[in-house]
Structures are given as C-alpha cells and as structure tokens.
Amino acid sequence: GSLTEDCTMQAPLPRSMRPGIVVVTRDTLRALAPADAQLVRKAIDSIGELSAKAQGLSKPITSHAQMLACDNRLYLSVGKDSLRGLLRVGGRQLFVHRKQSSEYVQTSPLCVLDFFVCTALQRGGEGRALFDFMCQREGTCAAALGYDRPSHKFLAFLRKHFDLASFIPQLNHFVVFDEYWRRTRGTSGPAPASAARAAQPLVMAPARTPPAAPAQGQPTPSPPTPPPTPPAPRSQPQRSPEEPPRATQLHTPLARAHAVRPTAKTGGRAAWHLQQPPQHSQAMARLLSRPY
C-alpha cells in the first residue's frame, strides 16, 4: 500500500533497510537487486509525494527517478515496516546578496533540498535526530548550510533548535542565514565531497568464504613454506674521519710510503713518512747508477 500522511499504512521495504537511518545515493540505487529496487522506488516516491503535499507544492521534489539523475544524498528514517521521514542534501552554486543593497556574491554551500517527517512523528525528536545525523555524516552544521524554499515549519524548526532566524530574502528563494557569512568569512568554496557512506548500506558486502576442510582420512595440508630470505649485503666498514688513509704501496724497489698516525712529533697531524730502503737495496741502487 501507499503511505498516508501519518504513516499508519505500512509500505513494504527490502530486508536490508532495517530500522534506523539509511543513506541512499545514485550508486546504491543502481546496485540493488531488481526486486529490492522496485520496493525502494515505491517507498521513495510515496514519501516524496507526502513531503510535497505537506509543503503545498504542486509536484514532488524528491523521487526515485530524480535520485538516479543526480549526486544528491537522501537520508531516510526507517521504521519497522515503513519510512518515517526524509532529508535530501546536495551541493548548489548560488548567487546571493549578503546585504539588502549589496552586489551578488557567489558561494557553493551544501544545501538542504527537501526535509519531511511524518505528521504523527513530528515534535517527538524524529526530525532532530535525522538532521543531526546528516550533519555528522556530511561534516557540517546547520548554520553552514543553504536551504531551498524552506517551509514555515522548517524555519521554525531551525529557529528553535539552532537559533537561526536572521537572513536576507533572495530572488532564487534560497535561504542563507547571516551566521553562514560569519562562519565562512564571506569566502566561496566547493560543496563538501559526496558522502556515499551509508549508516546501513543497502547492498551488503558478501561474506568471506572459509577454506574447505580436508576430507576425513586425508592429512591436513601444511602451509606453504615461505621462500628463503636472501642474505643482507655486507656493509663496508665505516672509517672514522680522524683515521688516516691506509698505507699506499709505491711501485718501486727503493722506497715505499706509509701513513703515520698523529703523534706529538707531527704536531697532532697525520703525515706521510718515506721509509728508507734496506741496505742491500741501497747497494743495488749504487750499482745501477754506475756508468758502463
């Protein structure tokens, strides 16, 4: 059956829509199974009609087809067997006056596009719970939002719960409260990123399948042996900056140089010392130096 204004007639809902608050997006609607998609379509269209009737609109502003054509987020308050309320939000680029006689300024707030709670549940905390949940999920607050054609009831709701009352009327019928400019300091910016997260996802992730148990009588396979870890490369020994270079062999039979560590005789500095060749080497040098 269809919903009535006080939600006394129940509308069938998919089993995945348990009582609570569900976030519906274009992607979640497209991912539904055909049977569930049909039930969700009827439920959204029905409560969208109730919202339009409550606001005195000629046609609904929230529908299943509209949700498939945009990137808005639709927050649904789900009862035991029916929808209890809706709240639709989406980014909008607005040109508005900050003051009565000022020029237009451009800003892009996240906007509340539709808000409705069944009449029998109003003034019972249902609307405040739905609104607070939306603000938490979107990372925003009531003063930082724009509002598309809010009804008198909605304006009274904002004044009662969030102390929002002062605003400049706009030709586009959007309401941006004065507190919005104090929070944003008049700077424009993009609307918050799409929050496709759902409090209760309509499409449940498949559970992981556990590995099959071995048949009775068969040995339990041992886990695969991990490949051996290659040995770490040997690190070269680090030489202290105070350590002098190693001795260098000179390719001559007469002399070889080697490093001498700093001593008191060298003034505390490393020095090169030319070691005298042995005596037989000196004799050989004298023989080689004789003229023939």
Side-chain angles (χ1 to χ4, degrees):
S2 61
L3 289 170
T4 61
E5 190 174 357
D6 59 359
C7 298
T8 54
M9 294 186 64
Q10 309 301 322
L13 297 174
R15 293 182 179 180
S16 58
M17 296 182 68
R18 299 183 299 273
I21 296 177
V22 171
V23 185
V24 177
T25 66
R26 174 173 53 192
D27 293 336
T28 58
L29 290 176
R30 290 175 176 175
L32 288 173
D36 289 347
Q38 186 73 3
L39 295 176
V40 172
R41 181 186 66 79
K42 292 181 178 180
I44 292 177
D45 288 347
S46 296
I47 199 167
E49 293 175 359
L50 293 180
S51 176
K53 181 180 178 181
Q55 299 179 62
L57 303 177
S58 58
K59 60 180 181 180
I61 57 176
T62 297
S63 65
H64 181 271
Q66 187 180 32
M67 286 298 303
L68 288 175
C70 65
D71 62 349
N72 295 167
R73 276 85 66 199
L74 180 62
Y75 292 80
L76 296 174
S77 178
V78 182
K80 184 177 180 180
D81 296 306
S82 66
L83 297 181
R84 303 156 65 94
L86 69 84
L87 176 57
R88 181 166 63 92
V89 296
R92 289 293 184 272
Q93 181 175 321
L94 305 179
F95 292 89
V96 294
H97 293 288
R98 291 189 58 180
K99 297 181 180 179
Q100 192 68 44
S101 57
S102 64
E103 296 182 354
Y104 281 104
V105 295
Q106 178 182 348
T107 187
S108 302
L110 180 70
C111 294
V112 177
L113 307 175
D114 198 2
F115 185 34
F116 169 74
V117 174
C118 293
T119 304
L121 303 174
Q122 293 177 8
R123 296 180 178 84
E126 189 80 19
R128 178 62 189 268
L130 183 59
F131 196 94
D132 287 346
F133 182 87
M134 179 275 298
C135 288
Q136 181 182 5
R137 298 291 292 187
E138 299 288 340
T140 187
C141 63
L145 298 168
Y147 299 87
D148 184 13
R149 300 173 184 263
S151 64
H152 294 294
K153 284 187 176 181
F154 193 11
L155 290 175
F157 171 88
L158 295 172
R159 182 170 56 251
K160 173 184 177 181
H161 294 285
F162 305 105
D163 197 23
L164 297 174
S166 178
F167 63 91
I168 301 297
Q170 308 291 337
L171 294 177
N172 56 14
H173 302 290
F174 273 84
V175 169
V176 178
F177 288 99
D178 294 347
E179 183 65 21
Y180 172 85
W181 305 110
R182 288 191 284 270
R183 287 179 173 271
T184 61
R185 297 183 181 180
T187 58
S188 60
S194 176
R197 307 183 300 264
Q200 297 179 20
L202 296 182
V203 182
M204 304 300 293
R208 293 185 178 181
T209 304
Q216 188 173 4
Q218 294 184 359
T220 303
S222 59
T225 304
T229 305
R234 293 185 178 180
S235 59
Q236 297 295 332
Q238 299 294 328
R239 187 170 58 200
S240 173
E242 292 82 8
E243 181 181 352
R246 295 182 179 179
T248 304
Q249 296 289 340
L250 300 180
H251 298 281
T252 171
L254 302 180
R256 58 193 176 96
H258 64 91
V260 178
R261 294 184 179 273
T263 63
K265 295 182 179 181
T266 61
R269 300 188 304 274
W272 287 95
H273 175 69
L274 186 63
Q275 181 178 352
Q276 296 295 331
Q279 302 222 349
H280 67 272
S281 299
Q282 295 179 4
M284 181 64 68
R286 286 196 297 270
L287 289 175
L288 293 176
S289 62
R290 292 179 179 179
Y292 290 94

